């Protein structure tokens, strides 16, 4: 990975992903302590520039930065001078002038974190750019799969739903296939990207036929805020064909797990009771997200910090 930024999974080597997952193990261990905090990033400052809504990603980065003892500058686009017409470039220059070491960026347009990375001297982390990438989501998904199923090599993973508008799907396809999994995308043709033929995946439209063959079923939300036209006859019809209903769960193998990046629309892509089954690992994904983001922040900002001091008996690098 480029030493300074985390902009996408596509540009990571397998070794980078594996290093970050190993580092995550150490931070999961920190999270279990009575005092789940290490001094690794003392004196460093992290801030966020979120131009789109978020619950999990935003809070999880904040929790991660605090557990590493970094200082955090809270910036909220809706209450900032962005509302007074300030440009992205001026906003970034203003934040940078205050002295920040890392900016976590979410934006509705693909490529914005890359643009910000060209303007600043600190680190930039992509927390979701348009339909493009959401690398920390993919890392926490890989970590969660590894935790439940032992590894990704040789697994069969179905990603189901609104693939076209999903940065999570793009980052996950890269990450899952780099780690040796086979991926099948299951969606109506209107929700698949035109470029899908170039992706390292299979495509299927018959969820009932795919479910008995998978180790992981990964559901996506219908991202209606990104749809420029009506791509589905109705949500009810979508649920009938592609929703993970109770009946469909019974088609899964015993050990297969159900994942979702959140926010879930219960009753649409996932039945309300299915979301709460033991094989649904949605809350584990959220929990692991904190440790994964600690690993990413530490990896980008922690050079010089001696983690082995904070994690006795362990050489985390
Ligand atoms: C996703 C996102 O914003 O890309 N959520 C998340 O970060 N966990 C997925 C979504 O909005 O559906």
């Amino acid at each position: 990975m480029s030493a300074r930024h985390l902009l996408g999974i596509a540009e990571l080597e397998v070794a980078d992903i594996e290093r970050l997952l190993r580092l995550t193990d150490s931070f999961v261990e920190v999270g279990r302590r009575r005092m789940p905090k290490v001094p690794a990033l003392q004196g460093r400052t992290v801030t966020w520039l979120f131009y789109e809504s978020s619950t999990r990603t935003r809070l999880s980065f904040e929790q991660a930065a605090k557990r590493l003892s970094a200082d955090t500058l809270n910036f909220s686009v809706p209450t900032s001078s962005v509302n007074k017409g300030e440009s992205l470039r001026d906003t970034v220059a203003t934040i940078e002038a205050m002295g920040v070491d890392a900016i976590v960026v979410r934006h509705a347009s693909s490529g914005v974190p890359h643009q910000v990375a060209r303007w600043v001297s600190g680190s930039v982390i992509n927390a979701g750019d348009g339909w493009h990438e959401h690398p920390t989501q993919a890392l926490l998904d890989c970590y969660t799969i590894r935790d439940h199923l032992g590894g990704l090599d040789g697994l069969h993973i179905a990603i189901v739903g609104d693939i076209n508008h999903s940065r999570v799907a793009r980052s996950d396809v890269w990450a899952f296939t780099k780690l040796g999994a086979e991926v099948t995308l299951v969606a109506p043709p209107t929700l698949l990207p035109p470029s899908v033929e170039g992706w390292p995946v299979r495509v299927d439209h018959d969820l009932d036929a795919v479910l008995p063959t998978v180790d992981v079923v990964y559901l996506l939300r219908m991202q209606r805020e990104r749809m420029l036209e009506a791509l589905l006859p109705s949500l009810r019809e979508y649920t009938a064909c592609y929703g993970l209903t109770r009946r469909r769960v019974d088609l899964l193998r015993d050990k297969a797990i159900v994942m979702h990046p959140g926010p879930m629309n219960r009753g649409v892509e996932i039945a309300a009771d299915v979301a709460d089954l033991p094989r649904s690992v949605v809350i584990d994904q959220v929990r692991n997200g904190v440790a994964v983001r600690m690993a990413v922040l530490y990896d980008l900002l922690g050079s010089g910090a001696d983690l082995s001091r904070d994690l006795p008996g362990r050489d985390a690098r």
Side-chain angles (χ1 to χ4, degrees), residues 58-133:
R58 163 75 185 69
L59 286 176
S60 166
F61 267 111
E62 181 167 356
Q63 180 74 320
K66 287 182 166 155
R67 287 190 165 178
L68 290 166
S69 304
D71 293 317
T72 54
L73 270 187
N74 277 320
F75 175 90
S76 151
V77 166
T79 56
S80 72
S81 290
V82 170
N83 267 346
K84 300 178 184 171
E86 189 159 47
S87 70
L88 178 67
R89 175 134 210 189
D90 287 337
T91 304
V92 169
T94 303
I95 289 173
E96 179 156 64
M98 299 192 190
V100 296
D101 299 289
I103 307 181
V104 183
V105 181
R106 170 170 284 194
H107 200 282
S109 300
S110 301
V112 165
H114 307 66
Q115 183 62 56
V116 174
R118 285 191 281 274
W119 291 333
V120 299
S121 58
S123 293
V124 174
I125 301 170
N126 182 359
D129 63 326
W131 308 2
H132 178 228
E133 279 239 31

Side-chain angles (χ1 to χ4, degrees), residues 231-280:
L231 296 172
L232 290 171
S234 73
L235 277 186
R236 186 200 289 242
E237 211 160 310
Y238 175 81
T239 305
C241 293
Y242 297 98
L244 193 63
T245 56
R246 200 50 249 242
R247 178 190 69 76
R248 290 202 168 108
V249 167
D250 292 337
L251 300 172
L252 287 167
R253 293 173 182 157
D254 284 351
K255 290 214 164 105
I257 57 173
V258 175
M259 302 179 73
H260 194 303
M264 290 188 282
N265 285 159
R266 289 182 188 237
V268 181
E269 70 272 12
I270 186 165
D273 54 344
V274 170
D276 299 325
L277 290 175
R279 66 162 86 230
S280 157

